[in-house]
Amino acid sequence: MRKYTATLPMLASLLYCGVAHADEGSTKPIIGEKSIIRLSYRTEDTDSDGSRGTSSGHDSILERVVAVLPEGVEYEYDLPPEASKQDRQREWLLPARILRPTTGAARLLNEPELEARLDKWLASAKWTREICGRWIFTWNAFQIVCDPKKALSTVELFNLDAIQPTDGKPITIPRAQAGGIIRQISNGKAGATYEVSFAVDPLEVRKERAEADVAVGSITGKQVSLQTALEEHAKNKVSGTIRISFETDDIGKVWRRITETKLSTTKPDGKTELSERVETVERVAAHTDQ
């Protein structure tokens, strides 16, 4: 797990997943409760000339409830127990302690600790902060991130409590043209299933793709400005849908969220590209400290 940087696969995750605005869930966490949360994805891309490509991957994070306070819940996020010593040496953003207030945005509580780990991490690589923000290529593409608050957006990818689904509830997500209404599609003793769908916002998709072009250009040495990339993608017609399903347990807590995004892009020459990404976030193991 290398969340101290944004790899191109993770950048793709940010382009294709829909993370909704956080709200308070109906179930109360238990101090000491731990969960392993797994994020996995698979993609398939095809175009009108018959070419096809696929990819997949997964990552995990350990979530622990530190405190339940009047103003919200404090969590600690860390690498999973099986992480190696080398994994921990590479990762300076975790462990991170985050307060999720009853209202308002999440707050990072141990920023000075992360700053100290960042300095140590940069020194071990013989880097200075001048390298911050640059894209480099080793075994993969990485952006050197030096902002401790990046921990907030990193952890948010694994946040299963971002939405507490209820039938008829309106929600909004990034990359959608308008909000959607959650609908319950099944219910049983083991839990319920909910779904919500959206039409994608073509402007947001073009912007994200342009930003990806800038990153790739930085790595390859073929620099491209954001404006030039935006103008190039503006020539393409983009449409698509985002569908999110939620599965809850017998007490109403979300244990799995699946986001399916389908995009169709038609270029000026008439060539059409179809992209499908399915991203699953699920709680795969949990226990409570005694």
Side-chain angles (χ1 to χ4, degrees):
M1 178 173 181
R2 304 193 175 201
K3 290 298 185 302
Y4 57 85
T5 57
T7 65
L8 287 185
M10 181 53 71
L11 181 60
S13 173
L14 294 174
L15 298 189
Y16 289 102
C17 75
V19 178
H21 295 183
D23 57 22
E24 184 181 12
S26 63
T27 57
K28 292 184 178 180
I30 302 171
I31 296 175
E33 184 178 33
K34 294 180 180 180
S35 296
I36 299 295
I37 302 174
R38 176 186 174 98
L39 184 156
S40 58
Y41 73 90
R42 59 179 175 82
T43 69
E44 181 174 346
D45 301 299
T46 58
D47 58 36
S48 52
D49 65 10
S51 62
R52 176 176 176 270
T54 62
S55 66
S56 63
H58 63 85
D59 215 338
S60 298
I61 198 169
L62 173 64
E63 176 189 80
R64 181 171 69 91
V65 179
V66 176
V68 179
L69 308 169
E71 63 269 32
V73 181
E74 179 183 339
Y75 294 91
E76 181 183 68
Y77 294 92
D78 200 356
L79 295 174
E82 66 271 17
S84 66
K85 181 179 179 180
Q86 291 72 25
D87 289 334
R88 295 189 177 278
Q89 288 174 339
R90 287 191 292 260
E91 178 56 79
W92 67 268
L93 278 176
L94 299 177
R97 292 200 323 275
I98 292 174
L99 176 67
R100 297 193 182 280
T102 302
T103 59
R107 301 200 304 270
L108 180 64
L109 301 179
N110 63 331
E111 187 169 341
E113 178 185 335
L114 268 62
E115 286 280 6
R117 292 205 302 261
L118 169 60
D119 288 338
K120 184 177 180 180
W121 179 75
L122 288 171
S124 68
K126 296 182 172 55
W127 286 336
T128 68
R129 295 208 178 208
E130 291 182 355
I131 201 169
C132 296
R134 295 185 188 178
W135 285 87
I136 62 172
F137 188 89
T138 53
W139 63 275
N140 208 330
F142 299 93
Q143 185 183 31
I144 306 301
V145 175
C146 299
D147 181 4
K149 288 186 173 58
K150 177 65 176 177
L152 292 168
S153 57
T154 295
V155 166
E156 190 63 24
L157 294 170
F158 297 83
N159 183 13
L160 280 169
D161 298 322
I163 302 171
Q164 182 61 37
T166 56
D167 191 47
K169 180 178 183 176
I171 65 168
T172 61
I173 64 169
R175 305 176 75 244
Q177 284 186 321
I181 304 295
I182 296 176
R183 298 301 183 192
Q184 182 175 313
I185 60 174
S186 69
N187 192 18
K189 292 183 178 180
T193 302
Y194 302 83
E195 281 190 358
V196 59
S197 296
F198 311 85
V200 299
D201 184 343
L203 293 177
E204 288 299 313
V205 174
R206 294 188 189 105
K207 179 183 176 183
E208 291 162 351
R209 289 174 172 175
E211 291 170 344
D213 288 349
V214 172
V216 172
S218 177
I219 295 168
T220 61
K222 299 178 180 179
Q223 302 287 344
V224 57
S225 70
L226 179 60
Q227 184 59 39
T228 298
L230 285 169
E231 291 172 355
E232 189 65 25
H233 284 285
K235 301 174 185 177
N236 302 331
K237 180 181 179 181
V238 178
S239 62
T241 59
I242 302 170
R243 184 178 67 180
I244 307 176
S245 64
F246 307 87
E247 296 181 39
T248 63
D249 60 19
D250 57 351
I251 61 172
K253 189 176 181 66
V254 177
W255 71 273
R256 177 184 288 162
R257 181 181 69 234
I258 301 174
T259 304
E260 180 180 3
T261 303
K262 296 182 178 181
L263 296 174
S264 174
T265 304
T266 303
K267 298 187 175 182
D269 61 3
K271 182 178 179 179
T272 299
E273 298 175 348
L274 301 177
S275 301
E276 179 176 350
R277 180 183 179 92
V278 179
E279 183 170 288
T280 303
V281 182
E282 57 190 333
R283 189 171 281 105
V284 295
H287 69 272
T288 302
D289 288 344
Q290 302 297 320

